[in-house]
Amino acid sequence: MDIFEKCRKFTRAREVMAAGYYPYFQPIESSSDTEVWVGGERKIMIGSNNYLGLTHHPCIIEAAEAALKRYGSGCTGSRFLNGNMDLHEQLEERLARYLGTEAALVFSTGYQTNLGAISTLVGRNDKVYLDKLDHASIVDAARLSYGEVVRFNHGDLDMLRLKLNADRDSGRNGGRMVVVDGVFSMEGDIVDLPELASICEEYEAAVVVDDAHSIGYLGPTGAGTAEYYDMRDRVDLTIGTFSKSFASIGGFVGGPETVIHYLKHHARSLIFSASMPPSAVATVLAALDVIEREPERRERLWQITYRMMEGFRNLGFEIGPTETPIIPIMSGSVERTFKFWKETFDQGLFTNPVMPPAVPENSCSLRTSYIATHTDDQLDYVLDVFGKVGKKLGVI
Ligand SMILES: Cc1ncc(COP(=O)(O)O)c(C=O)c1O
């Protein structure tokens, strides 16, 4: 059997391209925070993860430029060897303070952080428990570990308890880790961390929260889910990314110093991959300054969030259990979702269609997400377009 046979047989994407509905890999020609240009046309960006609108902040761009000049364009190696700059260490100290953890470790992406942290810590006799809607990088990390992977239905903490109980009764004596998204990336709901932590305490399981979609804006200082619930001392590890609110690229894990020290010397995605480029590290350090200095960005983001939730619901859209700036607009079938995406795109909105296998066949959506710097006029326009297209396609 030819190993490439599957590639030649893969025609689905080409069919969608030929029909003119292909929504992926849209080449953005330029960007000005809340607007992007694609094919020479301006689109309002409601498909980014740039929650605080920091990608074009002048202080951040200045910091990145200064780092580029001082350290060069890349580190050309891993943190472990030649790619460790003083900037990486400054960022780790700063993050540990921000998260309220003993220590922190910075990786080159959030994906690599999950791979490194989870697969390194979950060993042969251990079990790792995942919510079924956890991000793909958590699932891949668990698979890469030598431990056993157990999944529970989304948000079903009774099911988690039953599974932990069965494990305890079995007399197995390996470790346990539960990993959840703080804010679920497609649905926008926040994990019930108080209940989850109580269960984990009862069954001696470590609590790991991936705050990719919450860091920067959730909680009084934006430090994420544990801060939001005021229970930082009940979370063992906080994982996150710099590719969303922090307007850059990279990832981090915060936790006890002994765990961070261990990861530093064992996590393969840290040791065998080049480090975050200096300009990216400087971007994140500057983003932390702005997050501290400009709390009004968080306030505006929440104001926008509630306004858009109300706006979509008043129009008759189904938006699921979201509690955050991630607002999915339920659109039903794959075919209708492609049309919904295309019509809204042609009218100047950039959204993200969510399709199988990410969701079941008739549960597609357009994922919309908001930026603290969206203007009221832009938001009115978004609701207007959604209202018209939603009616035309029978979504509402
Ligand atoms: C929950 C979650 N974890 C991790 C990641 C990966 O982050 P990165 O883009 O830094 O690789 C994402 C990105 O979408 C995410 O949503």
Side-chain angles (χ1 to χ4, degrees), residues 92 229 314 378:
E92 286 169 347
Y229 285 113
N314 286 345
Q378 288 176 323

mmCIF file with all atom_site columns, all heavy atoms in Angstrom, residues 92 229 314 378:
data_model
loop_
_atom_site.group_PDB
_atom_site.id
_atom_site.type_symbol
_atom_site.label_atom_id
_atom_site.label_alt_id
_atom_site.label_comp_id
_atom_site.label_asym_id
_atom_site.label_entity_id
_atom_site.label_seq_id
_atom_site.pdbx_PDB_ins_code
_atom_site.Cartn_x
_atom_site.Cartn_y
_atom_site.Cartn_z
_atom_site.occupancy
_atom_site.B_iso_or_equiv
_atom_site.pdbx_formal_charge
_atom_site.auth_seq_id
_atom_site.auth_comp_id
_atom_site.auth_asym_id
_atom_site.auth_atom_id
_atom_site.pdbx_PDB_model_num
ATOM 1  N N   . GLU A 1 92  ? 10.173  34.690 33.412 1.00 0.00 ? 92  GLU A N   1
ATOM 2  C CA  . GLU A 1 92  ? 9.735   33.630 34.327 1.00 0.00 ? 92  GLU A CA  1
ATOM 3  C C   . GLU A 1 92  ? 9.504   34.168 35.742 1.00 0.00 ? 92  GLU A C   1
ATOM 4  O O   . GLU A 1 92  ? 8.525   33.818 36.395 1.00 0.00 ? 92  GLU A O   1
ATOM 5  C CB  . GLU A 1 92  ? 10.755  32.491 34.320 1.00 0.00 ? 92  GLU A CB  1
ATOM 6  C CG  . GLU A 1 92  ? 10.635  31.698 33.029 1.00 0.00 ? 92  GLU A CG  1
ATOM 7  C CD  . GLU A 1 92  ? 11.748  30.701 32.764 1.00 0.00 ? 92  GLU A CD  1
ATOM 8  O OE1 . GLU A 1 92  ? 12.784  30.761 33.459 1.00 0.00 ? 92  GLU A OE1 1
ATOM 9  O OE2 . GLU A 1 92  ? 11.580  29.882 31.860 1.00 0.00 ? 92  GLU A OE2 1
ATOM 10 N N   . TYR A 1 229 ? -11.586 32.638 40.893 1.00 0.00 ? 229 TYR A N   1
ATOM 11 C CA  . TYR A 1 229 ? -12.305 31.975 41.993 1.00 0.00 ? 229 TYR A CA  1
ATOM 12 C C   . TYR A 1 229 ? -11.638 32.222 43.347 1.00 0.00 ? 229 TYR A C   1
ATOM 13 O O   . TYR A 1 229 ? -12.055 31.625 44.340 1.00 0.00 ? 229 TYR A O   1
ATOM 14 C CB  . TYR A 1 229 ? -12.341 30.470 41.747 1.00 0.00 ? 229 TYR A CB  1
ATOM 15 C CG  . TYR A 1 229 ? -13.315 30.010 40.677 1.00 0.00 ? 229 TYR A CG  1
ATOM 16 C CD1 . TYR A 1 229 ? -12.859 29.455 39.486 1.00 0.00 ? 229 TYR A CD1 1
ATOM 17 C CD2 . TYR A 1 229 ? -14.691 30.079 40.878 1.00 0.00 ? 229 TYR A CD2 1
ATOM 18 C CE1 . TYR A 1 229 ? -13.749 28.990 38.512 1.00 0.00 ? 229 TYR A CE1 1
ATOM 19 C CE2 . TYR A 1 229 ? -15.583 29.612 39.917 1.00 0.00 ? 229 TYR A CE2 1
ATOM 20 C CZ  . TYR A 1 229 ? -15.108 29.081 38.744 1.00 0.00 ? 229 TYR A CZ  1
ATOM 21 O OH  . TYR A 1 229 ? -15.984 28.619 37.798 1.00 0.00 ? 229 TYR A OH  1
ATOM 22 N N   . ASN A 1 314 ? -30.931 38.481 21.863 1.00 0.00 ? 314 ASN A N   1
ATOM 23 C CA  . ASN A 1 314 ? -32.114 39.248 21.466 1.00 0.00 ? 314 ASN A CA  1
ATOM 24 C C   . ASN A 1 314 ? -32.481 39.014 20.008 1.00 0.00 ? 314 ASN A C   1
ATOM 25 O O   . ASN A 1 314 ? -33.653 39.068 19.644 1.00 0.00 ? 314 ASN A O   1
ATOM 26 C CB  . ASN A 1 314 ? -31.904 40.752 21.696 1.00 0.00 ? 314 ASN A CB  1
ATOM 27 C CG  . ASN A 1 314 ? -31.965 41.081 23.180 1.00 0.00 ? 314 ASN A CG  1
ATOM 28 O OD1 . ASN A 1 314 ? -32.438 40.259 23.978 1.00 0.00 ? 314 ASN A OD1 1
ATOM 29 N ND2 . ASN A 1 314 ? -31.473 42.248 23.561 1.00 0.00 ? 314 ASN A ND2 1
ATOM 30 N N   . GLN A 1 378 ? -18.440 49.177 15.312 1.00 0.00 ? 378 GLN A N   1
ATOM 31 C CA  . GLN A 1 378 ? -18.085 47.857 14.765 1.00 0.00 ? 378 GLN A CA  1
ATOM 32 C C   . GLN A 1 378 ? -19.032 46.783 15.309 1.00 0.00 ? 378 GLN A C   1
ATOM 33 O O   . GLN A 1 378 ? -19.512 45.923 14.575 1.00 0.00 ? 378 GLN A O   1
ATOM 34 C CB  . GLN A 1 378 ? -16.638 47.491 15.135 1.00 0.00 ? 378 GLN A CB  1
ATOM 35 C CG  . GLN A 1 378 ? -15.599 48.298 14.385 1.00 0.00 ? 378 GLN A CG  1
ATOM 36 C CD  . GLN A 1 378 ? -14.190 47.984 14.856 1.00 0.00 ? 378 GLN A CD  1
ATOM 37 O OE1 . GLN A 1 378 ? -13.950 47.755 16.051 1.00 0.00 ? 378 GLN A OE1 1
ATOM 38 N NE2 . GLN A 1 378 ? -13.238 47.999 13.934 1.00 0.00 ? 378 GLN A NE2 1
#
